[in-house]
Amino acid sequence: MPNATNVVPEQIKVGLEKESTWGTDPAGTPILIPVDAPDLKEEVAHIADEGLRGLFARDFEGYGGLRQVTGSLGGIFYGTSDAAETSLASPVAHILAALLGGTAATQIGATNDYIHDFYTTELPGSLTLTVEDSLTAAQTTPHYVGVMFPRLTLRYNGGEGLLTWEADILGLRQQWPNSAGSIAADKTGQAFIGWQSSVHFGTAAANPTALAKVISAEIVIERELMLVSGASNQQYAQNRAARPPRVTFTAVVEFVDYADYKLYSDDTNDHSSNQQAWTFRFCNKAAVHTQTGDSSLSLAAGDAVLDIRLHTVSYGESALTISRGEAPNTMEFAGRSLYTPSPTWFGATPPTAARTGQSLIQIRLINQRTTAY
């Protein structure tokens, strides 16, 4: 008998909702996340009874242990949003807010533009993720609750492709609410193209410039997250713990002279001598790439700016590599962002609540959404 229906990747929709209480499904309308094929699964620890019974056998019973959600999501970085986030939102902004834990929105003067600062708090935020497809109906829509993100990776290449993201997932459990699907399909949104990037690095924390020799980069934000289970007669964790984040990055630059090589090489011996600040800007409005004042941005509907500043970078995460077999020759190196008690802020000084939480990395998304993520 042939199958009545089947599911193809193009019919899958993944949505997210911000949780006000960790592990509690908001039961609202999820925001669509345009993603690559999602990898979401509930793991149930298997406990085997292998007690010796005088029989030529090993396994006599199986028990279900603790549940947890694992997997990963990834896709294109969209930064745009209208005032109420009714058009395709910036889903990675919600993931950043969940990973770090804090977010604040500040209007730029009398414009329609808002700076969204993301900063670290002691506990991360959490989301409920929903997956819908052509089989979705009442009681067949899986909801993954208590989802946190122990690792977020951003990648770009200045000569090809788009700014992309990939996030690891750790969640509480899977639920099957008595409701049909409610994620609206949407084809709008504005991505950041690889060439819509500008970078500055140096001892002075200056604003981004057209530093053409930076070919590509990867930024990784990760924090150790733990699910904690106590004696509560529940098959899932009741508490969680989180350590502060760690930020590392790799970059490929055009090998134009030995000054750069010596700079990075010296830093592996004396880490305090050549530590630098790195600032990345992604903007789908080319005219404002190097604007030093936020009031000069004047973004139109659909425009967005993403700024990432690593206040103090120590090199030496891995060996310096010069690739001499291709034209042009390139050099690849890795660095780690360090806690900086009094950083030089990029753009407007963040709100007071955000400053301590941005001492490792400053992340700002500027668009027209009026409320914090």
Side-chain angles (χ1 to χ4, degrees):
M1 180 178 178
N3 293 330
T5 186
N6 61 69
V7 179
V8 296
E10 291 76 16
Q11 295 172 303
I12 296 173
K13 293 179 291 184
V14 178
L16 63 79
E17 292 181 81
K18 181 180 179 179
E19 297 179 348
S20 57
T21 301
W22 175 61
T24 300
D25 189 341
T29 302
I31 298 170
L32 176 70
I33 317 175
V35 294
D36 301 331
D39 173 20
L40 294 169
K41 51 186 175 290
E42 183 182 48
E43 297 180 357
V44 181
H46 182 260
I47 305 171
D49 178 356
E50 301 177 354
L52 301 179
R53 288 166 167 79
L55 299 171
F56 196 65
R58 297 184 62 181
D59 300 315
F60 298 97
E61 187 58 87
Y63 301 92
L66 289 176
R67 299 174 179 270
Q68 67 176 16
V69 174
T70 61
S72 62
L73 290 174
I76 297 168
F77 196 119
Y78 295 90
T80 57
S81 177
D82 60 8
E85 205 172 47
T86 54
S87 64
L88 185 61
S90 177
V92 189
H94 293 272
I95 292 173
L96 271 169
L99 189 159
L100 296 176
T103 178
T106 305
Q107 186 176 12
I108 302 177
T111 71
N112 294 324
D113 304 332
Y114 286 76
I115 300 172
H116 297 277
D117 284 288
F118 302 91
Y119 58 92
T120 302
T121 57
E122 289 189 8
L123 282 177
S126 61
L127 305 174
T128 290
L129 299 179
T130 303
V131 179
E132 297 178 4
D133 51 42
S134 58
L135 303 179
T136 293
Q139 297 183 349
T140 63
T141 304
H143 287 207
Y144 302 90
V145 302
V147 170
M148 303 176 291
F149 301 92
R151 181 184 176 98
L152 174 65
T153 303
L154 304 178
R155 299 185 181 94
Y156 88 97
N157 186 307
E160 60 186 42
L162 305 171
L163 175 64
T164 61
W165 62 276
E166 182 178 359
D168 293 346
I169 286 172
L170 177 64
L172 191 59
R173 55 177 171 156
Q174 179 179 270
Q175 293 180 329
W176 300 88
N178 187 15
S179 62
S182 59
I183 304 174
D186 194 337
K187 66 179 182 63
T188 61
Q190 184 71 34
F192 293 116
I193 309 173
W195 61 261
Q196 292 176 327
S197 58
S198 48
V199 182
H200 176 87
F201 69 93
T203 52
N207 293 312
T209 57
L211 196 60
K213 64 180 178 180
V214 179
I215 297 172
S216 63
E218 176 180 291
I219 303 170
V220 179
I221 308 169
E222 54 188 338
R223 64 188 306 183
E224 186 177 345
L225 304 176
M226 291 75 67
L227 299 179
V228 183
S229 298
S232 61
N233 198 28
Q234 300 287 343
Q235 201 181 356
Y236 49 87
Q238 294 78 49
N239 296 300
R240 56 187 177 144
R243 300 188 69 182
R246 173 170 287 163
V247 178
T248 58
F249 83 108
T250 57
V252 176
V253 302
E254 187 177 355
F255 186 46
V256 294
D257 58 53
Y258 274 97
D260 289 337
Y261 181 88
K262 188 174 186 303
L263 177 69
Y264 309 135
S265 179
D266 286 350
D267 186 57
T268 63
N269 297 318
D270 181 4
H271 293 288
S272 63
S273 61
N274 293 309
Q275 291 168 354
Q276 296 181 312
W278 278 72
T279 306
F280 300 86
R281 164 164 280 188
F282 303 91
C283 179
N284 50 35
K285 184 179 180 182
V288 303
H289 260 279
T290 57
Q291 292 287 352
T292 58
D294 296 330
S295 60
S296 303
L297 294 177
S298 300
L299 301 181
D303 291 337
V305 176
L306 173 67
D307 294 324
I308 301 175
R309 169 165 284 175
L310 311 180
H311 302 296
T312 307
V313 169
S314 176
Y315 305 111
E317 284 291 297
S318 62
L320 298 171
T321 303
I322 299 178
S323 297
R324 300 184 183 276
E326 298 181 1
N329 284 188
T330 59
M331 181 175 67
E332 181 175 353
F333 60 92
R336 177 178 299 201
S337 185
L338 305 179
Y339 174 83
T340 307
S342 300
T344 301
W345 302 111
F346 177 57
T349 300
T352 302
R355 292 173 198 169
T356 300
Q358 290 191 336
S359 297
L360 182 70
I361 180 173
Q362 182 186 6
I363 305 177
R364 331 184 307 160
L365 179 64
I366 304 174
N367 58 29
Q368 297 187 329
R369 176 184 161 114
T370 60
T371 57
Y373 285 92

